[in-house]
Amino acid sequence: VTFNREHTLDSLVSKLDGVDFVFHLAGVNCPKNVKEFALHNLDLTSSLCQAITDTKRQIPVVYTSSVQAELGNPYGQSKLAAEQVLIDFSARTGIPIYLFRLPNVFGKWCKPNYNSAVATFCYNVQNDLPIKINDANATVRLVYIDDLVKHFISILDAVLVEPGFSDISPVYEVTVGDLVKKIQLFKNSRLNMLTEPVGVGFDRALHSTYLSYLQPVQFSYQLPINRDPRGVFVEMLKTKDSGQFSYFIAHPGVTRGGHYHHTKTEKFLVLKGSALFKFCHVLNDKVYEVKTSGHVPQIVETIPGWAHDITNIGENDLVVMLWANEIFDCDNPDTYAKLL
């Protein structure tokens, strides 16, 4: 059940019919008149408490306040006053109240150019719009929306049972300058194919947030294609410390490779067609062969000190996915020719 700016305070009691838990997320932070702070932040909270009282039921409330409540500005004062209303209400009725003084919350669907620097930066960077930074060294404290919602659900599921003030974890701290740099690197990754480490923590959440501001026409992008008489080679993705991903297409009868590495390692996965992998030890000329095809998901690894090549032994094009543990470096390729 939703109560928003389209509804009147008089409808609160009827809205609460059948409701057994309230998440009070509403608030005004950029009004045209400072009096609206008290009207919407304080009066709405007071009306909610009265409406719950009128139901004669125990309906817990989660309230999203703000770290601004610790400051003396009109917005913070209104949030502090609303907190006190809820605290008094809980003391009077015994109804559990959960209070969150939130720092900046970021994540998908937040409006750019409104009250979130993260949303504005993500939107402006991916649309090539200018960004205004007053102090690049200023530190901001951020909470990811998914972490916040998970915490809310834990209260609803009675996992967190202690009422009163609650903290959200984790809270990320980053300078404004570093925040913008990270977002710009996300944009650059489509051009240089170099992804940031976006699998955990703040970078994971920020990367997801950045992508959420892409328009559907931006959901796809093309990669450079390297063609020669043997077939096609395409680099897909590069990482800073875990190598790169690519694929190649080899025409029937074509052999690729014919070299060895001292340190570099690779993993090959045939997606389509049939292949013969040949290996030869560079010191004792020991030979080993592996046949594989797209019908069987089998990884073939190249081993340092073993020369190797791969031949398309099928009648159709061979399609092979490839992971190398390092990005190819033209100045230090660690690749030495040796025919098998």
Side-chain angles (χ1 to χ4, degrees):
V1 178
T2 302
F3 179 90
N4 56 37
R5 67 187 63 196
E6 297 177 359
H7 302 111
T8 63
L9 295 179
D10 295 337
S11 67
L12 271 174
V13 174
S14 62
K15 284 283 185 181
L16 289 172
D17 184 29
V19 167
D20 56 11
F21 208 103
V22 172
F23 291 91
H24 180 5
L25 315 178
V28 168
N29 55 6
C30 297
K32 296 181 179 179
N33 191 315
V34 293
K35 294 182 179 180
E36 294 183 47
F37 283 129
L39 175 64
H40 296 292
N41 293 340
L42 179 57
D43 292 356
L44 173 59
T45 304
S46 299
S47 298
L48 173 64
C49 292
Q50 184 59 51
I52 293 176
T53 300
D54 293 343
T55 68
K56 295 181 172 56
R57 292 187 293 118
Q58 297 287 101
I59 305 177
V61 178
V62 165
Y63 178 60
T64 51
S65 184
S66 168
V67 292
Q68 297 289 319
E70 302 170 7
L71 305 178
N73 58 60
Y75 171 68
Q77 289 176 337
S78 69
K79 300 299 277 188
L80 180 63
E83 289 177 3
Q84 192 59 52
V85 166
L86 287 164
I87 292 171
D88 294 342
F89 170 70
S90 179
R92 186 171 65 252
T93 63
I95 293 176
I97 300 297
Y98 303 87
L99 304 171
F100 293 85
R101 286 185 175 178
L102 298 177
N104 297 285
V105 181
F106 74 102
K108 60 182 178 296
W109 303 329
C110 189
K111 294 179 181 178
N113 300 301
Y114 179 52
N115 66 340
S116 167
V118 175
T120 301
F121 293 159
C122 287
Y123 179 84
N124 286 16
V125 166
Q126 61 116 309
N127 286 288
D128 297 319
L129 298 174
I131 289 179
K132 182 180 179 182
I133 300 177
N134 295 321
D135 183 2
N137 294 319
T139 299
V140 290
R141 301 176 71 247
L142 301 168
V143 168
Y144 185 45
I145 185 62
D146 284 30
D147 296 327
L148 180 60
V149 171
K150 286 179 182 177
H151 204 76
F152 285 169
I153 292 174
S154 72
I155 298 174
L156 187 65
D157 292 340
V159 175
L160 179 64
V161 294
E162 289 296 325
F165 285 95
S166 295
D167 294 322
I168 295 295
S169 178
V171 176
Y172 301 109
E173 292 191 7
V174 62
T175 66
V176 176
D178 287 342
L179 175 62
V180 173
K181 288 179 182 178
K182 287 179 179 291
I183 295 172
Q184 289 174 330
L185 287 173
F186 297 154
K187 181 181 178 65
N188 295 342
S189 67
R190 286 194 169 191
L191 299 176
N192 59 23
M193 290 175 283
L194 181 62
T195 184
E196 297 301 300
V198 294
V200 295
F202 177 60
D203 284 1
R204 170 183 175 268
L206 185 62
H207 180 251
S208 176
T209 301
Y210 168 76
L211 290 181
S212 73
Y213 290 93
L214 295 177
Q215 298 301 312
V217 70
Q218 299 171 303
F219 286 179
S220 62
Y221 60 101
Q222 290 188 327
L223 297 171
I225 300 177
N226 302 287
R227 299 181 186 273
D228 62 29
R230 299 173 299 171
V232 170
F233 177 76
V234 177
E235 293 179 307
M236 174 190 172
L237 186 69
K238 302 176 181 179
T239 70
K240 291 184 175 180
D241 57 8
S242 298
Q244 68 177 61
F245 296 86
S246 56
Y247 77 90
F248 66 81
I249 299 173
H251 301 316
V254 165
T255 298
R256 300 186 69 107
H259 56 241
Y260 67 93
H261 313 295
H262 282 302
T263 304
K264 181 189 298 185
T265 63
E266 301 159 313
K267 294 179 185 288
F268 291 87
L269 175 63
V270 174
L271 303 179
K272 181 180 179 182
S274 300
L276 173 63
F277 286 85
K278 292 182 180 180
F279 295 88
C280 180
H281 197 282
V282 298
L283 293 184
N284 57 29
D285 291 330
K286 182 178 179 179
V287 175
Y288 183 73
E289 295 184 353
V290 178
K291 287 185 179 180
T292 185
S293 74
H295 298 296
V296 180
Q298 181 180 15
I299 295 292
V300 180
E301 291 198 272
T302 62
I303 311 301
W306 287 76
H308 51 270
D309 65 25
I310 175 172
T311 301
N312 183 352
I313 58 175
E315 298 180 354
N316 301 304
D317 280 349
L318 175 69
V319 182
V320 181
M321 185 177 180
L322 165 64
W323 170 80
N325 72 313
E326 59 188 50
I327 295 176
F328 182 75
D329 183 355
C330 294
D331 296 326
N332 184 28
D334 188 14
T335 303
Y336 305 89
K338 180 176 175 62
L339 296 179
L340 280 70

